[in-house]
């Protein structure tokens, strides 16, 4: 970043904020990349590696030989708190999505971020109760898929959660859980089935009662109509 003279007046509003950080951890990416691979993709605001890179193309920076790059969320957060000012100095910001940078970043080599967190905890001397490792190495663009579908650290719900089983486990272990708890799951399903049967029976009882009431009302109504007819007939014959 280059130091530029800032125009007076607006300056008091211009507060750098970095409370929200959705850019990628630099330490994490440096485990699998050289510094030179990521140095062009450091977010102007949070100083981590940009996710959803935006380039700032305000004419005020035209003299800089390197583009200014910032993570989309960091920029959004900054703009909301700083009257849409550019993060370098107070002037209106003109960011655009940098597809080329996004593509490059997407191809950076990564290790599993959860493994990275665990390594860090172990380094800090924390006891980890589990002897789990995720040896995933891949590209940054495949991160979400890894976390959703393959990661040893990602816990998923038991298939019988809707029936009341609160067990969570790694995808790889779910099969064991299902096999070992067949009877338990069966009982859960039966329990729900029984309670549904009761509900249905209850509704049936109510509906029978309603039908009876309707029948009674119908009979009463017919009776009244018949009475009325007879009275009308009597009235006519009295007149004649
Ligand atoms: Zn950032
Ligand atoms: Zn600018
Ligand atoms: Zn802006
Ligand atoms: Zn993993
Ligand atoms: Zn279960």
């Amino acid at each position: 970043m280059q130091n530029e003279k800032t125009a007076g007046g607006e300056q008091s509003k211009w507060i750098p904020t970095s409370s929200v950080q959705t850019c990628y951890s630099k330490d994490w990416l440096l485990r699998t990349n050289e510094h030179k691979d990521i140095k062009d993709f450091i977010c102007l605001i949070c100083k981590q590696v940009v996710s959803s890179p935006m380039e700032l193309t305000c004419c005020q920076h035209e003299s800089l030989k390197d583009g200014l790059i910032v993570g989309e969320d960091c920029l959004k957060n900054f703009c909301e708190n700083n009257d849409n000012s550019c993060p370098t100095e107070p002037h209106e910001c003109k960011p655009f999505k940098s597809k080329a940078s996004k593509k490059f970043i997407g191809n950076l080599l990564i290790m599993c971020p959860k493994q990275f967190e665990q390594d860090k905890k172990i380094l800090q001397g924390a006891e980890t109760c589990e002897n789990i490792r995720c040896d995933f190495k891949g590209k940054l663009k495949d991160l979400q898929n890894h976390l959703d579908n393959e990661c040893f650290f990602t816990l998923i719900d038991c298939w019988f959660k809707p029936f009341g089983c609160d067990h969570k486990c790694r995808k790889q272990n779910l099969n064991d859980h299902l096999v070992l708890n067949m009877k338990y799951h069966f009982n859960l399903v039966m329990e729900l089935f029984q309670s549904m049967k009761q509900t249905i029976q209850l509704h049936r009882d109510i509906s029978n009662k309603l039908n009876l009431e309707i029948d009674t009302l119908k009979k009463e109504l017919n009776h009244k109509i018949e009475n009325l007819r007879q009275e009308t007939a009597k009235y006519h014959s009295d007149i004649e």
Side-chain angles (χ1 to χ4, degrees):
M1 212 189 333
Q2 185 169 311
N3 283 328
E4 292 164 299
K5 280 217 174 94
T6 51
E10 300 282 298
Q11 205 161 5
S12 57
K13 288 181 190 161
W14 187 66
I15 320 149
T17 49
S18 56
S19 51
V20 175
Q21 194 222 304
T22 46
C23 292
Y24 301 115
S25 156
K26 198 163 89 179
D27 289 343
W28 167 55
L29 282 167
L30 280 174
R31 289 279 294 267
T32 42
N33 297 276
E34 301 273 324
H35 190 264
K36 66 174 168 49
D37 297 327
I38 61 166
K39 73 172 185 359
D40 290 334
F41 305 102
I42 300 300
C43 173
L44 198 61
I45 293 170
C46 71
K47 313 295 178 205
Q48 303 297 309
V49 177
V50 283
S51 71
S52 300
M54 307 285 287
E55 242 170 88
L56 301 176
T57 53
C58 334
C59 49
Q60 285 86 344
H61 316 300
E62 259 171 15
S63 55
L64 296 179
K65 67 172 169 27
D66 296 323
L68 293 173
I69 201 160
V70 53
E72 189 172 9
D73 287 313
C74 286
L75 183 64
K76 233 182 237 162
N77 185 250
F78 182 91
C79 285
E80 271 165 24
N81 291 303
N82 294 280
D83 283 343
N84 283 324
S85 163
C86 175
T88 60
E89 54 165 4
H91 57 236
E92 203 192 327
C93 185
K94 291 185 196 70
F96 80 100
K97 284 192 196 215
S98 176
K99 284 196 183 138
S101 305
K102 193 178 174 78
K103 197 168 167 197
F104 188 92
I105 293 162
N107 283 318
L108 286 174
L109 191 67
I110 57 163
M111 68 176 288
C112 174
K114 302 210 172 177
Q115 183 60 50
F116 174 73
E117 289 303 322
Q118 174 158 302
D119 290 352
K120 231 165 58 178
K121 277 188 201 145
I122 291 172
L123 270 178
Q124 287 161 359
E127 294 268 329
T128 51
C129 46
E130 293 175 277
N131 211 356
I132 300 283
R133 278 201 65 82
C134 176
D135 288 321
F136 168 78
K137 291 258 159 59
K139 288 179 174 177
L140 186 49
K141 62 183 171 194
D142 300 323
L143 174 62
Q144 201 55 50
N145 179 51
H146 168 69
L147 292 176
D148 290 347
N149 300 310
E150 317 165 329
C151 184
F152 280 95
F153 289 98
T154 305
L155 299 181
I156 60 169
D157 289 326
C158 169
W159 288 352
F160 290 87
K161 192 184 181 196
F163 299 95
C165 179
D166 287 328
H167 184 82
K168 280 172 184 284
C169 62
R170 279 168 205 92
K171 209 173 186 181
Q172 293 78 359
N173 300 338
L174 182 61
N175 212 30
D176 290 345
H177 168 76
L178 291 174
V179 170
L180 287 172
N181 294 280
M182 202 118 68
K183 186 154 168 42
Y184 171 62
H185 290 146
F186 178 77
N187 287 340
L188 285 177
V189 174
M190 280 315 285
E191 245 171 61
L192 186 71
F193 178 67
Q194 290 300 343
S195 86
M196 275 167 78
K197 242 166 79 177
Q198 279 173 10
T199 313
I200 290 169
Q201 188 55 49
L202 189 73
H203 283 209
R204 202 172 278 155
D205 290 349
I206 293 173
S207 133
N208 284 344
K209 213 178 133 207
L210 283 175
N211 278 337
L212 273 177
E213 274 173 31
I214 289 171
D215 274 352
T216 320
L217 284 174
K218 249 192 215 159
K219 273 180 204 149
E220 267 175 38
L221 198 61
N222 279 336
H223 188 68
K224 278 188 180 147
I225 290 171
E226 188 51 36
N227 277 351
L228 202 61
R229 192 181 289 141
Q230 282 173 13
E231 270 173 37
T232 318
K234 190 167 170 279
Y235 177 71
H236 275 272
S237 66
D238 282 353
I239 293 175
E240 282 156 14

